[in-house]
Amino acid sequence: MTQTPSFATAGLDQLNARVRHDLACLNLPAANWVPSRHTAGGRHIHDVVIIGGGQCGMVAAFALLSGGIRNIRILDRSPEGHEGPWLDYARMETLRSPKTLPGPSYGMGSLTFRAWYEAQFGSEAWEALDKIPRPMWMDYLRWYRRVLELPVDNEVKVEHVRPEGDLLQLELSGRNAPDEPLLTRKLIMATGREGTGGPKIPAFVDPLPRHAWAHSSDEIDFASLADKRVVVVGVGASAVDNAAEALEHGAREVRHLIRRPAMPTINKMMGIGSFGFTHGYAGLPDEWRWRFMHYSFVTQTPPPRGSTLRVSRHPNAHFHFNAGVSATRMEGDEIVIETSRGKELRCDYLILGTGFQIDPMARTELAGYADRILLWKDRYSPPAELEHAELGNFPYVGSDFAFQEREPGTAPWLGNIHCFNYGASLSMGKVSGDIPGISEGASWLASAIAAQLYREDIETHWQTLQAYDTPELLGDEWQPEPLP
């Protein structure tokens, strides 16, 4: 159903009014119900702090606010308007996700990308739109933050999280960091694709000077690659997008080195996406969850067709299959790459499209106790044919997305740190990072945190129940009479 013309081209002012009206109709955000807390010294205690002001952090915040959990704070290390990867290391021209997905709208039609787009450009433009341009998605997320008035503190980085009794203390840095650490009851790590690890850097680059190579998530001066020979390792979406950037900035040649014998062509997970899978996956036995995710890993998601054509239309782009990297070395200013084919390749610059690894030990926020986090390899042993070292390193999170202890009783505060990022995907499915399921994931997360906060304050709620004395009947509504 298309929107009415009066709304479809009415502009953002009218859409903002529509959002405010929808929120009012739904009584959102709900009134705060969580009892306030302060330390003995008067320091404020937040109920929830969210690390990350990108799409996952914002929809998590909106879910909490909608549930009446209003004593929250969102921290993001980036300047305002640059949260997430969209203007950083994301280099695709358009999003892979279909434009029709509701994304972080949390069930509100007026908060969808479609509503935002049609309000400005009209219904005909929406029908003509194929994929969402990447910078436009960032513009939409900026609007989402503004219209919902989400409390994001930018240029604040969480350096370390440590337990402080039954609380968590956050040590901060950055231009807008407060003078003293923050205290919170619950922490949400909405830290994206690298949120429970970091870039995957293969050992074969160890002999190379750092200026000779970059990971696809690094800041890269593509203009400096004009007339240079560039090798890109891998053929996933980020590898292909970086290859395209190098070609478009005048690289003399770009060669993909690919371990696989052929290009993956089918996005298998697209074939089973449904309400049932989204809501059923997290409740499956371990063996089924492992089997689904293992199959997804080994079949690999192909790069988008548009991104691949963006590379292959250049005559100086080359795809080399069965060509893994065995070793590298420098000879003068040249990088020499030894391949699994037994042949050497020379280039001027190397880009690693090798993705991200799951490794809680790599997160400085968790330094000192990351080794106490329960991982999948601690909980489940797959059959030999399904062994996968990378999957084994995923944290085994609970239904509330919280970390669990490897050894019960050794780090109980881990249950107050909620992994709402890529690291939760083996346990919970793709509801904490990818656009299709983030509203569902945020709803589950907010519900679980609400239940925990209520249980922790149960004595206060009991006292509130008993102390409530506002009468609904004033005594003048009836007259008692004796029985006849």
Side-chain angles (χ1 to χ4, degrees), residues 122-451:
S123 299
E124 290 185 6
W126 168 257
E127 295 300 330
L129 181 68
D130 179 25
K131 298 285 187 181
I132 300 172
R134 170 181 49 81
M136 186 175 283
W137 183 253
M138 188 69 241
D139 289 339
Y140 160 71
L141 293 176
R142 289 168 174 159
W143 167 80
Y144 182 98
R145 168 181 171 170
R146 288 194 304 270
V147 76
L148 293 177
E149 300 178 351
L150 297 175
V152 183
D153 292 332
N154 286 94
E155 298 184 67
V156 178
K157 182 181 180 183
V158 178
E159 295 287 354
H160 190 237
V161 179
R162 65 181 181 86
E164 184 83 5
D166 60 350
L167 304 174
L168 298 170
Q169 177 166 287
L170 279 57
E171 298 173 7
L172 309 173
S173 66
R175 190 167 69 89
N176 295 324
D179 294 333
E180 62 180 0
L182 296 185
L183 292 175
T184 186
R185 299 172 66 181
K186 309 294 178 185
L187 179 69
I188 297 173
M189 295 183 67
T191 41
R193 190 74 175 180
E194 57 182 297
T196 321
K200 186 188 301 181
I201 309 297
F204 61 67
V205 298
D206 289 349
L208 303 181
R210 190 61 180 86
H211 65 81
W213 63 271
H215 188 269
S216 60
S217 64
D218 289 334
E219 182 177 340
I220 300 175
D221 180 7
F222 284 98
S224 70
L225 301 182
D227 202 36
K228 299 290 180 64
R229 299 164 298 169
V230 178
V231 164
V232 177
V233 178
V235 76
S238 64
V240 169
D241 292 329
N242 277 265
E245 287 284 331
L247 289 161
E248 291 164 2
H249 281 81
R252 187 191 315 173
E253 66 175 28
V254 173
R255 298 182 180 275
H256 278 279
L257 293 184
I258 307 157
R259 289 180 302 176
R260 292 173 174 268
M263 178 77 84
T265 58
I266 301 172
N267 185 353
K268 290 287 190 175
M269 299 303 281
M270 288 286 288
I272 60 169
S274 67
F275 186 88
F277 181 75
T278 297
H279 289 264
Y281 175 89
L284 292 173
D286 289 353
E287 56 267 28
W288 272 112
R289 288 187 286 178
W290 183 279
R291 184 184 297 185
F292 271 107
M293 200 60 68
H294 180 273
Y295 187 72
S296 175
F297 265 58
V298 299
T299 55
Q300 192 178 13
T301 301
R305 172 175 166 80
S307 295
T308 309
L309 290 172
R310 186 182 167 201
V311 173
S312 62
R313 68 186 178 214
H314 295 269
N316 53 336
H318 309 276
F319 296 82
H320 303 291
F321 296 93
N322 281 320
V325 178
S326 302
T328 64
R329 67 180 187 275
M330 295 296 297
E331 288 189 3
D333 293 333
E334 284 190 317
I335 303 170
V336 182
I337 300 173
E338 299 177 20
T339 72
S340 55
R341 290 185 180 183
K343 294 184 178 181
E344 290 187 350
L345 191 65
R346 293 172 181 265
C347 69
D348 304 305
Y349 198 72
L350 180 66
I351 298 176
L352 303 174
T354 46
F356 296 93
Q357 64 179 345
I358 296 296
D359 180 13
M361 295 289 287
R363 302 302 304 187
T364 59
E365 303 97 323
L366 309 177
Y369 54 83
D371 59 339
R372 305 186 199 182
I373 295 173
L374 180 70
L375 306 180
W376 267 80
K377 64 185 177 184
D378 304 319
R379 181 68 179 258
Y380 177 68
S381 297
E385 67 273 15
L386 295 181
E387 288 182 355
H388 198 289
E390 187 172 352
L391 284 178
N393 285 330
F394 275 73
Y396 192 99
V397 303
S399 59
D400 57 356
F401 295 89
F403 293 128
Q404 300 187 70
E405 302 169 276
R406 179 175 292 174
E407 296 181 17
T410 60
W413 64 87
L414 288 173
N416 292 325
I417 303 178
H418 302 262
C419 178
F420 194 56
N421 58 52
Y422 177 65
S425 57
L426 179 52
S427 297
M428 300 297 291
K430 295 189 175 184
V431 294
S432 55
D434 292 348
I435 291 171
I438 54 175
S439 285
E440 286 84 352
S443 177
W444 304 346
L445 175 67
S447 295
I449 289 177

